[in-house]
Amino acid sequence: MQDEKKVNTKTVDPVVDQKIIKKDRPGWLLWLLPLLALLLLLIWFMQHHQNDSQTSSQTTDSSHPSAAANKAPDADSGSTVDKINAWFAGDKKAGSGWIALDSVRFRSGSAELITDDSGQLEKIAGILNAHPEARVVIRGFADATGPQGLNEKLSAERAGAVRAWLASHNVRDDRLSTDGQGASAPVATNATEQGREMNRRVALKIQSGN
């Protein structure tokens, strides 16, 4: 008889084998992959949010007329009194013809004159009284919060309030004329309260008294 060779077969418990395999895997891999996925998701969210903000800002700017898109003729910077003096000194193009009264303000829906600097209005009255031959057109403006007809009426009343103030300071009333332009020529956006306040204004245009 042939000698039977005994083969020693090692029996491996599958449960134990799986534990061995699991132990061979680095533990940090289990945390790294979810963290990478979370990081990529965070980057995508931030980029998407930034694009939405830029689109919203562009939409707001395009839907609300501003000085950049529709610049009013009285939007030039510079001192009101200096511009008036420059006009009488010979610079007939000072302030593009229209000169904003930057010390005059109006509340929303009101034609009551509010001034940040009454001295400025007094200086303007003094200059006009020193040149009795000159005539003055006073133009009022409104913000865009109300209907067009009401804004035109309100802006004309604001011009009338400045006319009445100048007349009460010895500027002859027959030298003064007024009109209202409503919300047609904003100097700032109507999307903010500060911008709307800037648009509720009055401007002057001096004309030779021929």
Side-chain angles (χ1 to χ4, degrees):
M1 292 179 64
Q2 296 180 350
D3 294 336
E4 293 181 356
K5 295 182 179 180
K6 293 182 178 180
V7 179
N8 293 328
T9 304
K10 184 179 180 181
T11 302
V12 179
D13 188 338
V15 176
V16 175
D17 187 54
Q18 289 178 4
K19 291 181 179 179
I20 294 173
I21 294 173
K22 289 181 179 180
K23 287 182 179 180
D24 290 340
R25 296 175 182 174
W28 55 268
L29 283 176
L30 299 177
W31 296 99
L32 180 60
L33 293 178
L35 286 175
L36 287 175
L38 183 61
L39 180 62
L40 291 174
L41 181 62
L42 181 62
I43 293 174
W44 176 86
F45 176 79
M46 291 177 66
Q47 291 178 342
H48 183 72
H49 180 71
Q50 182 178 9
N51 291 337
D52 286 347
S53 298
Q54 292 175 349
T55 302
S56 176
S57 176
Q58 292 173 356
T59 302
T60 301
D61 290 343
S62 62
S63 62
H64 296 282
S66 64
N70 186 19
K71 185 177 180 182
D74 61 315
D76 296 327
S77 61
S79 165
T80 298
V81 174
D82 288 344
K83 288 180 181 179
I84 294 175
N85 280 323
W87 192 93
F88 284 112
D91 184 4
K92 304 304 182 184
K93 295 182 180 180
S96 300
W98 289 99
I99 303 172
L101 297 182
D102 52 19
S103 68
V104 172
R105 296 286 181 269
F106 298 92
R107 293 189 180 92
S108 180
S110 172
E112 180 184 357
L113 189 154
I114 301 172
T115 178
D116 300 330
D117 180 10
S118 60
Q120 183 187 85
L121 287 175
E122 291 171 358
K123 289 178 182 178
I124 293 172
I127 295 170
L128 296 178
N129 286 328
H131 299 273
E133 75 287 353
R135 304 181 65 84
V136 181
V137 180
I138 306 170
R139 177 166 291 179
F141 299 89
D143 61 35
T145 56
Q148 180 178 353
L150 177 61
N151 285 335
E152 290 177 352
K153 178 177 181 293
L154 190 57
S155 61
E157 291 175 351
R158 289 169 177 164
V162 173
R163 177 179 183 170
W165 193 97
L166 291 174
S168 70
H169 286 73
N170 302 319
V171 180
R172 290 199 330 268
D173 184 72
D174 60 355
R175 300 171 55 197
L176 308 174
S177 60
T178 63
D179 66 34
Q181 292 293 303
S184 63
V187 293
T189 177
N190 279 296
T192 65
E193 176 54 38
Q194 181 180 9
R196 291 190 292 272
E197 182 179 358
M198 293 174 65
N199 290 330
R200 300 191 293 266
R201 69 195 193 282
V202 168
L204 305 179
K205 186 172 186 178
I206 304 171
Q207 298 175 334
S208 299
N210 294 329

